[in-house]
Amino acid sequence: MNFSMEPPRLLQTLPGALVNGAINGAISWSAFKGSDRVPLSVDSIAAPGVTALGNAATVAFALTFIMASITFFVFRAGARKASAAPRALTALRYWPSGLGIALRNTLLVFGGFVASAVLWQRFAGTLLIGPVAATLVVAAVAALATALAEWCTKREMLGAASGRVVV
């Protein structure tokens, strides 16, 4: 990993995001492939069955936490190998700093996704889509969650190292 003190760009997260989108799309395909139609969302949180946005919510939550934690360790390791990295960055510990960053980013992505899904259900209602479309929805959410987790984690780590709060 090339280390830089420059603020990360969202475009730099694209390779990992696409890989995670493909992996999680393949995994979600197993849940959707036997169905003629899959509801995008339903009007009850306790509804039986599989929905595309329900699967995507689980992916958004778990993947954001995992990717933020991995990014923390990989970025810190790159900083430790670089001679230009400040000591404040190389000395960041996972407990409590890294875990706090991972939890904040997870809650941000998950909360934003759930709010969007609730608004979607409120205004669009229940839509039935094909299994391929449902898989693509989950893959897109996985890619977005990965990109945001990596980008936000690096920004927060750089901000913590420079003594400023990154919003």
Side-chain angles (χ1 to χ4, degrees), residues 50-154:
V50 176
T51 66
L53 292 181
N55 275 17
T58 304
V59 166
F61 182 82
L63 193 58
T64 302
F65 183 77
I66 292 166
M67 289 309 302
S69 295
I70 290 171
T71 299
F72 176 86
F73 288 112
V74 170
F75 193 62
R76 185 182 66 182
R80 286 179 174 169
K81 290 178 184 174
S83 59
R87 170 121 172 81
L89 180 59
T90 61
L92 273 178
R93 296 170 50 149
Y94 188 71
W95 173 260
S97 301
L99 182 62
I101 290 170
L103 289 174
R104 278 191 303 276
N105 292 338
T106 300
L107 292 175
L108 172 73
V109 171
F110 182 69
F113 177 79
V114 169
S116 299
V118 167
L119 290 173
W120 172 268
Q121 177 61 37
R122 170 71 174 103
F123 293 112
T126 300
L127 287 165
L128 297 175
I129 57 176
V132 172
T135 299
L136 292 174
V137 166
V138 174
V141 169
L144 185 61
T146 299
L148 288 173
E150 183 178 336
W151 182 67
C152 290
T153 300
K154 288 179 179 178

